[in-house]
Amino acid sequence: MTQDLSPLVEIRHLGFSRGNRVIYEDISLSIPRGKVTAIMGPSGIGKTTLLKLIGGQLQPDHGQVLFDGHDVHRASRSELFELRKRMSMLFQSGALFTDINVFDNVAFALREHSGLPEAIIRAIVLMKLEAVGLRGAANLMPNELSGGMQRRAALARAMALEPEMVMYDEPFAGQDPISMGVLVKLIRELSDALNLTSVVVSHDVHEVLSIADYVYVVADKKVIAHGTPAQLQALDNPQLKQFIQGAPDGPVPFHYPAEDYQKELARGLD
Amino acid sequence: MSTRKIELLVGLFLLSGLAAFLILVFNVANVEVNSGKSNYSLQASFSNIGGLKVRSPVKVGGVVVGRVSAIELDPVKLVPVVTLTMDKRYNQFPETSSLAILTSGLLGEQFLGLTPGFVDEDVAMLGDGDKIDDTRSALVLEELIGQFLYSMSSKDK
Amino acid sequence: MGLINTIAAMGRNAIEMMLGFGQAGLMLWGAIFQKPRIAKGLPLLVRQIYVVGVQSMVIILVSGLFIGLVLALQGYNILVGFGTEESLGPMVALSLLRELGPVVTALLFAGRAGSALTAEIGLMKSTEQLSSLEMMAIDPLRQVIAPRFWAGVISMPLLALMFSAIGIYGGHLVGVEWKGIDSGAFWSILQASVEWREDIVNCLIKSLVFAVVITWIALYRGYQVTPNPEGLSRATTQTVVQSSLAVLALDFLLTTMMFGR
């Protein structure tokens, strides 16, 4: 099997703002095929936004996102839908459809797109559920599952159409250590077994560094550092160091920008 | 809840909607389906039709035999012309029949009363498009009161 | 300065309102003008008719019955003073068909089904279920919005007809069974004064217009919800308030067009 070396996703000089607030000034990164690429950064800098930009759910102010050479934001609606069948996204909340059970959730996209007979769909769904260890929970409703199990069910659903790329939005946020371990193992194994391109957006430094092949660190509306986990830890960038080590104050200030504390106190109530 | 039960309930819902519609159309608005062939129409002109309306009934001795289908003003003679749609079952009215605008009760709805005339050898039956000549106009309450007062005052003299 | 600010604020509100209308229009356009998919669309539609129509049926029937009863009782007390209590039939039937049927059904529908639609769509949006559909290459307008819209448009006129029918039955109960109006007189005068085109068709037209407006507002409010608890509760309230006001205003407009001549 010949390995296509061109990146699956290329983001070129992307700019995005929400109202008057600039989220990204000029961001460029590329996501290689068959690897786990992580995008890290502090909370509230719009990492989820980046995934939605890749998925074509949001329109950038300028710049391009190329998925396998196709400009996501220039594509017509039907072309975009064809591209989306090749990618899938694991939302932070899981975003399972709450009115149908786990089995139907996983089967949803298959029934919609594949046109396969129900017997084959059933086999595929059970296989996907087995892979995430939830075959026994097939008949439960999403609200009967714990948070970690919901995310695993969502993962099974994301895998249902055998996509080329899966985007994970904060897969580790708010998980207990066991669930976290399970998810780390699943993401790594699925990626290796299916030669899947994975994009993990997260601020959980240790988990990310343990599974990622390549890491981009985003802060201040741009990419501040990138490299393999080993390269990153060797870099001498104070902002990056603060983030990786988790120091409360440093180049990324602890305080939200405000006027001088002494002055504000002295001003009193007027 | 199972899909089957939902489908059943939705089916019942649609049926009850339809039933309500049919009740309203046939029981409340009293629409008659037998339009067209089983009817024939007659015409009559009056000097005053009072409160007669389209769809007012035509009765013979209290039995509804037809309805008013149109009310127009004759452009030349300037009198109201009423078109009646009659039930074909009742087609044995002689030409000498008379038509009067009557009122049910003192203030009630107005309707047309048809009084069959005498039958003779040279009297034909009314057919489609024929005109009834012998008509009596509506009694208008104001005119009646006016006449009454006038006759009272003339008596006093 | 104050005046200029006021004018600017007015302009800003107007622009936002227009933007809202535009977005709501686009949403409706996207939901309605799609190639219909009978095999996949029909089960979704049936399910939504169940939620929107069947589940509103009890409240509609009970309200219809009681409004018919009350209307007949009040009407009887007034009409008996003129000695024309036989006219109770047309009074009840015409009030129900021309006004109360469509309008009260619409108001109840806005409270019962409209708010539920907004809350459901809003929650689906907040929990990223709509985004998730998008990413699965499934158009949420087709999958989620369209079946709910059509369910509303189909259900509400039927509910209005049921409301009017059971209301007239309620009027019959009070007038004939209780107050002793002659049953024949009640029905014949009623039948002579209710017109198929004038009354029943107009009743249907009114409730169809109300159905479109209510479902549209409800779906749009849910679709545009600010994804947090406060936003959700505000959206639900807005649905009820805006659709009720819209129904009453449109009712006046339609009544003027239908019966104003």
Side-chain angles (χ1 to χ4, degrees):
Chain A
M1 196 176 115
T2 53
Q3 185 81 28
D4 190 351
L5 288 174
S6 68
L8 184 62
V9 177
E10 260 204 282
I11 298 177
R12 290 184 187 153
H13 307 294
L14 194 72
F16 181 76
S17 49
R18 202 165 249 153
N20 293 325
R21 200 163 78 93
V22 179
I23 310 235
Y24 294 120
E25 243 158 29
D26 177 7
I27 204 163
S28 297
L29 48 87
S30 61
I31 292 162
R33 284 169 206 268
K35 297 270 164 41
V36 177
T37 307
I39 298 167
M40 289 203 298
S43 332
I45 57 134
K47 298 188 296 291
T48 309
T49 308
L50 188 61
L51 293 186
K52 288 195 171 171
L53 282 164
I54 296 175
Q57 289 196 37
L58 295 172
Q59 284 291 328
D61 298 345
H62 56 81
Q64 301 177 294
V65 175
L66 299 177
F67 181 84
D68 201 17
H70 304 280
D71 189 331
V72 171
H73 300 105
R74 290 269 170 76
S76 71
R77 201 162 167 78
S78 54
E79 285 164 1
L80 181 61
F81 272 26
E82 284 308 311
L83 290 179
R84 281 183 187 160
K85 286 180 191 170
R86 299 169 58 190
M87 50 174 110
S88 90
M89 184 156 168
L90 184 68
F91 286 87
Q92 190 171 352
S93 57
L96 292 170
F97 304 127
T98 39
D99 54 343
I100 51 180
N101 66 21
V102 172
F103 183 95
D104 290 335
N105 260 288
V106 180
F108 197 87
L110 282 169
R111 284 179 183 150
E112 200 66 29
H113 293 311
S114 69
L116 292 171
E118 192 63 29
I120 298 179
I121 288 179
R122 182 167 176 277
I124 296 174
V125 171
L126 289 179
M127 190 178 85
K128 302 292 173 195
L129 283 174
E130 177 71 19
V132 297
L134 286 177
R135 194 166 45 82
N139 291 321
L140 295 181
M141 296 303 278
N143 57 13
E144 296 172 293
L145 300 180
S146 73
M149 288 200 283
Q150 279 186 15
R151 226 165 278 188
R152 274 150 64 193
L155 184 57
R157 186 179 68 175
M159 295 293 165
L161 278 182
E162 319 246 311
E164 291 167 46
M165 177 176 84
V166 179
M167 296 183 276
Y168 300 91
D169 184 12
E170 298 282 2
F172 312 116
Q175 298 292 310
D176 63 75
I178 302 173
S179 308
M180 199 124 83
V182 170
L183 281 166
V184 168
K185 183 170 151 278
L186 273 175
I187 292 172
R188 187 72 247 180
E189 276 178 356
L190 286 170
S191 175
D192 292 343
L194 304 171
N195 194 28
L196 198 67
T197 307
S198 308
V199 184
V200 180
V201 151
S202 179
H203 52 237
D204 293 283
V205 178
H206 297 288
E207 285 72 23
V208 168
L209 292 182
S210 70
I211 57 166
D213 295 310
Y214 205 82
V215 179
Y216 286 89
V217 181
V218 179
D220 280 346
K221 300 158 196 166
K222 53 186 183 284
V223 176
I224 56 161
H226 58 93
T228 61
Q231 285 171 334
L232 277 189
Q233 272 158 332
L235 275 179
D236 190 30
N237 177 330
Q239 207 175 346
L240 181 68
K241 276 231 152 68
Q242 186 201 349
F243 181 66
I244 289 180
Q245 290 160 4
D249 210 351
V252 178
F254 167 68
H255 293 287
Y256 194 85
E259 71 168 308
D260 190 69
Y261 188 38
Q262 300 288 339
K263 263 191 213 153
E264 185 162 358
L265 280 179
R267 199 151 39 93
L269 301 164
D270 40 25
Chain B
M1 187 168 301
S2 72
T3 317
R4 175 113 196 103
K5 202 168 166 193
I6 287 175
E7 281 169 355
L8 205 69
L9 285 169
V10 170
L12 281 176
F13 171 72
L14 296 179
L15 277 181
S16 24
L18 190 70
F21 179 72
L22 293 178
I23 288 173
L24 289 178
V25 170
F26 293 111
N27 215 354
V28 174
N30 205 20
V31 170
E32 276 134 29
V33 209
N34 52 347
S35 58
K37 292 172 195 84
S38 55
N39 292 330
Y40 66 103
S41 68
L42 295 176
Q43 285 197 322
S45 51
F46 295 88
S47 58
N48 190 333
I49 57 161
L52 198 70
K53 291 190 201 72
V54 173
R55 279 188 54 76
S56 292
V58 182
K59 295 181 184 176
V60 176
V63 178
V64 178
V65 296
R67 282 183 191 281
V68 174
S69 58
I71 297 173
E72 280 148 350
L73 193 70
D74 187 320
V76 184
K77 295 182 194 155
L78 298 178
V79 288
V81 177
V82 176
T83 310
L84 317 176
T85 305
M86 305 291 288
D87 194 326
K88 203 131 217 183
R89 284 180 294 167
Y90 310 111
N91 59 354
Q92 294 295 310
F93 297 113
E95 278 181 338
T96 49
S97 301
S98 67
L99 204 55
I101 297 177
L102 304 173
T103 310
S104 54
L106 189 59
L107 299 164
E109 286 284 308
Q110 287 189 309
F111 65 95
L112 285 172
L114 185 68
T115 317
F118 62 90
V119 187
D120 205 355
E121 274 154 32
D122 55 342
V123 174
M125 293 296 153
L126 284 167
D128 190 36
D130 282 356
K131 196 160 183 184
I132 299 172
D133 299 316
D134 187 3
T135 60
R136 227 169 355 110
S137 290
L139 287 177
V140 180
L141 204 59
E142 292 92 322
E143 285 176 8
L144 273 181
I145 294 169
Q147 280 171 3
F148 175 71
L149 291 176
Y150 182 75
S151 65
M152 290 294 282
S153 57
S154 57
K155 238 182 227 169
D156 288 346
K157 278 173 195 169
Chain C
M1 213 40 216
L3 185 66
I4 291 174
N5 279 341
T6 318
I7 294 173
M10 253 167 68
R12 193 167 55 240
N13 285 339
I15 290 171
E16 271 169 19
M17 218 165 93
M18 284 299 139
L19 208 67
F21 272 123
Q23 283 171 341
L26 281 178
M27 186 199 77
L28 193 65
W29 182 270
I32 295 178
F33 295 96
Q34 300 250 356
K35 269 180 272 161
R37 311 169 304 162
I38 304 297
K40 279 172 186 158
L42 203 61
L44 291 174
L45 180 64
V46 167
R47 208 194 149 74
Q48 289 312 318
I49 291 181
Y50 173 74
V51 174
V52 169
V54 177
Q55 294 191 343
S56 310
M57 215 169 128
V58 173
I59 183 174
I60 294 291
L61 289 180
V62 172
S63 323
L65 183 64
F66 277 101
I67 284 187
L69 292 174
V70 168
L71 202 60
L73 197 53
Q74 291 285 11
Y76 180 83
N77 286 342
I78 295 168
L79 291 175
V80 82
F82 300 103
T84 54
E85 62 268 27
E86 277 84 7
S87 308
L88 186 64
M91 198 212 91
V92 171
L94 292 181
S95 323
L96 280 168
L97 284 171
R98 291 185 178 175
E99 288 299 333
L100 295 173
V103 173
V104 178
T105 309
L107 296 178
L108 290 170
F109 188 79
R112 168 69 185 73
S115 58
L117 279 179
T118 303
E120 191 193 11
I121 305 275
L123 213 58
M124 285 178 92
K125 176 162 174 127
S126 324
T127 53
E128 291 180 309
Q129 292 182 45
L130 295 183
S131 275
S132 169
L133 278 172
E134 279 262 335
M135 287 307 296
M136 283 184 190
I138 298 166
D139 188 353
L141 290 182
R142 168 186 274 187
Q143 181 77 25
V144 176
I145 303 293
R148 285 167 174 77
F149 178 77
W150 289 120
V153 171
I154 292 170
S155 302
M156 225 204 76
L158 294 181
L159 290 170
L161 289 175
M162 291 182 207
F163 184 96
S164 306
I166 201 162
I168 292 172
Y169 175 70
H172 171 88
L173 275 186
V174 167
V176 176
E177 307 291 335
W178 181 14
K179 294 294 180 185
I181 299 174
D182 177 60
S183 175
F186 181 89
W187 284 111
S188 67
I189 298 176
L190 191 158
Q191 286 170 350
S193 50
V194 175
E195 278 290 328
W196 142 255
R197 225 208 62 74
E198 184 93 328
D199 300 315
I200 296 180
V201 172
N202 280 346
C203 166
L204 278 173
I205 293 175
K206 271 190 181 180
S207 55
L208 207 63
V209 171
F210 297 159
V212 169
V213 169
I214 294 171
T215 5
W216 185 15
I217 290 176
L219 293 173
Y220 177 69
R221 284 283 152 231
Y223 201 63
Q224 290 293 335
V225 77
T226 318
N228 57 36
E230 195 208 346
L232 207 59
S233 80
R234 198 174 51 232
T236 325
T237 315
Q238 271 178 335
T239 292
V240 178
V241 171
Q242 290 175 350
S243 45
S244 305
L245 290 179
V247 162
L248 294 173
L250 276 173
D251 181 51
F252 177 67
L253 204 68
L254 287 171
T255 307
T256 332
M257 278 160 58
M258 290 169 176
F259 305 102
R261 282 160 288 120

